[in-house]
Amino acid sequence: MSDISTAWLKPYLEGKEREKMRLLYFTDTHLRGNTPQSRLDNLPETLKSKLEEVVKLAADLKVDYILHGGDFFDSPSPSLAVSGDLLECFRQFSCPVYAISGNHDLFGGNIHSLNRTLLGFLHRLGFIRLVLPGEKIYLKKHDTVLQLTGQPYHYEIDQRDPHLDYAVKKENADLALHMVHGMLLERPLPKEANFTLIDRIKDTEADITLCGHYHSGLGIIEKEGKIFANPGALVRLSNDKQEMTRRVGVILVKLEGEKPVCEFIPLISARPGNEVLTREEIEHRSDLRIKLANFIKEVRQNAEFERMNARRIIEEIARGEAIDKEAKEEALKRIAWVEEELRSKRVREIR
Ligand SMILES: [Mn+2]
C-alpha cells in the first residue's frame, strides 16, 4: 500500500485526551476472491489495501472499537484461501470488532442459516463478535457506558413496521448506538421498492443509528439531535453513474463532551471511480471465454431472481391466506437450504 502521511490526521486527534470513547464504522466490504466485470483492477488486492488503510486509521485515531454494518463477505461460504488472506487484515486491529450480518453473508438472506456460514463460524471462534437481534451489549470506557445493539438483515426488513428493526430503547446507558443492515433513506428512491425513511423512525432512543446495505450511502444526517449515517459500501461493485463519483470511506464516531459526533473519513487507497470502474459494454468484447462466463453469470442471476421471487411469493401467500407464521418460516428455511445445496453443487462443478 502507498505510504500514508499522518499529518492530515492531526485535527482528528486533537482533543483526544478529553474523549471518552471512539469507534470506527465501515460497511459492505463484500470480501471476495474475484473481480466483477465492472472493475478494471484486481479487486481482492484493492480490498486488501483498503483494509490495511482502515487498520492503520484505527491505530492512528486510537479507536476503542471497530463496527461493521454487514455484507462482510460477498457470499455465505467464500473460499478459505481468499478469506484467509483478507481476514489477516482483521487480525491487525488491536481492538474488538463488532458486526451484524448482511443479506450476502446468509444463505437465502435467512438469518437462521447463520451457523452454516463463514461469518457465523468466525463469530463462534470469537474472531468477530456478531451483535444478535434483541441483544444489548454494554461498552464501557472510564465513566461512559454505550449501549450497542444491531439488527442483521432479514427478509422482512424495510417491509414490516420499521420500529421493530430500527428503533431501540436506551436502558442503563449514557448513549445508545444501533446498527442496521437495512435501506435507510432520507427521501424515497424511485428504483427501490423497499426502504425506510428516517422520519419514520426518528423517535428511536438511539443517539446514533448506523446503516449499511444501501451502497451509495446516506452520508451523516442529524435529525432532532440524533445521528443517522451510512458511509456507503467500502467496495464499489456496480458501475452506475453514482458509484463512479462516490468517495469511499469510513465513519469515525467520537463520544465526547455534550453530544456524540460522527465524521466521514475518505480512504486514500480508494482510487477515483474512473480508474477502477468501467462502463464499457460487455458485448463489445469478443473473447469467447468472457461471453461464456457472462452467459453462466446471467443464468445464475436469473436463478437468484427466481429464488427472490419464491420468497416473495411465500410472503404474499402467507399474508393473503393467513398461513401461520411457523409454516411460513419453515418454507423460507427450506428455500435457504436449497440455495445452500445449489451453491455447494456449483462449487463442485467448477472444480
Ligand atoms: Mn451490500
Side-chain angles (χ1 to χ4, degrees):
M1 189 178 63
S2 58
D3 218 27
I4 295 165
S5 154
T6 50
W8 66 278
L9 286 174
K10 236 184 124 222
Y12 294 108
L13 290 171
E14 274 164 13
K16 172 68 187 160
E17 296 314 306
R18 291 182 290 113
E19 269 150 28
K20 293 167 180 168
M21 203 189 291
R22 277 185 163 191
L23 306 100
L24 201 62
Y25 174 77
F26 57 103
T27 185
D28 294 80
T29 41
H30 288 259
L31 303 186
R32 58 191 275 164
N34 52 11
T35 305
Q37 264 150 5
S38 55
R39 292 194 64 115
L40 296 163
D41 58 344
N42 176 326
L43 185 59
E45 268 174 30
T46 302
L47 275 169
K48 210 169 166 203
S49 51
K50 281 180 184 170
L51 290 177
E52 281 168 356
E53 185 177 350
V54 178
V55 167
K56 189 170 188 308
L57 267 177
D60 290 344
L61 295 166
K62 299 184 172 67
V63 303
D64 303 290
Y65 298 97
I66 302 294
L67 302 176
H68 192 296
D71 280 358
F72 191 91
F73 292 114
D74 195 50
S75 70
S77 56
S79 103
L80 293 182
V82 172
S83 326
D85 224 26
L86 293 165
L87 290 173
E88 278 294 319
C89 301
F90 276 82
R91 268 176 53 184
Q92 313 297 318
F93 283 119
S94 55
C95 56
V97 179
Y98 286 90
I100 50 172
S101 46
N103 44 319
H104 280 256
D105 297 310
L106 306 164
F107 287 105
N110 189 334
I111 183 81
H112 301 293
S113 71
L114 189 64
N115 64 359
R116 307 196 296 275
T117 67
L118 184 57
L119 187 64
F121 182 64
L122 293 176
H123 169 66
R124 285 167 89 170
L125 292 183
F127 187 88
I128 275 167
R129 174 71 158 86
L130 289 179
V131 187
L132 303 171
E135 182 187 19
K136 284 190 164 87
I137 295 171
Y138 290 97
L139 305 177
K140 296 181 187 118
K141 191 177 178 191
H142 306 313
D143 55 349
T144 303
V145 179
L146 174 70
Q147 171 188 300
L148 175 66
T149 50
Q151 178 57 60
Y153 177 85
H154 62 89
Y155 34 66
E156 277 182 304
I157 210 161
D158 299 314
Q159 294 181 67
R160 64 175 189 176
D161 174 5
H163 287 94
L164 298 170
D165 299 312
Y166 288 91
V168 293
K169 286 231 160 294
K170 179 160 58 178
E171 283 164 339
N172 312 317
D174 303 302
L175 292 158
L177 189 155
H178 186 51
M179 294 193 283
V180 188
H181 195 83
M183 187 76 70
L184 185 67
L185 301 175
E186 196 179 16
R187 279 172 227 99
L189 276 179
K191 275 198 231 159
E192 296 299 334
N194 301 322
F195 53 79
T196 296
L197 294 179
I198 295 174
D199 281 337
R200 291 274 325 264
I201 52 121
K202 61 184 182 195
D203 54 343
T204 177
E205 291 180 16
D207 302 274
I208 304 164
T209 303
L210 298 175
C211 291
H213 197 44
Y214 181 45
H215 284 204
S216 302
L218 177 68
I220 298 167
I221 291 164
E222 213 181 308
K223 274 206 174 166
E224 296 174 15
K226 291 162 204 161
I227 298 170
F228 302 88
N230 173 356
L234 202 83
V235 57
R236 289 160 292 182
L237 293 173
S238 103
N239 52 5
D240 64 35
K241 278 196 178 128
Q242 221 175 343
E243 286 296 84
M244 293 295 279
T245 53
R246 179 170 74 84
R247 295 199 77 180
V248 172
V250 298
I251 286 178
L252 172 66
V253 181
K254 300 200 282 188
L255 307 182
E256 58 189 359
E258 308 281 285
K259 56 181 198 135
V261 176
C262 285
E263 285 168 20
F264 179 78
I265 303 180
L267 292 189
I268 295 167
S269 60
R271 286 152 61 197
N274 57 5
E275 287 180 25
V276 290
L277 295 171
T278 172
R279 292 181 62 78
E280 197 182 314
E281 287 304 318
I282 298 302
E283 53 260 43
H284 293 314
R285 303 187 193 184
S286 57
D287 189 84
L288 188 66
R289 263 188 59 226
I290 295 176
K291 278 191 178 161
L292 183 63
N294 273 340
F295 175 70
I296 293 169
K297 202 171 139 199
E298 217 163 279
V299 170
R300 278 185 191 152
Q301 270 167 355
N302 281 335
E304 194 106 348
F305 186 65
E306 288 302 319
R307 282 197 292 281
M308 288 289 289
N309 279 352
R311 286 211 296 279
R312 199 133 298 155
I313 289 164
I314 290 172
E315 292 282 348
E316 291 298 316
I317 293 172
R319 214 167 316 186
E321 311 275 320
I323 304 281
D324 71 47
K325 207 170 166 247
E326 224 170 289
K328 186 187 86 177
E329 286 194 342
E330 182 60 30
L332 292 167
K333 207 159 78 188
R334 282 172 191 230
I335 287 180
W337 283 341
V338 170
E339 179 165 340
E340 193 177 350
E341 276 285 298
L342 285 173
R343 210 177 278 260
S344 52
K345 210 169 133 205
R346 251 169 15 211
V347 170
R348 285 198 299 272
E349 276 163 13
I350 288 162
R351 276 186 192 143

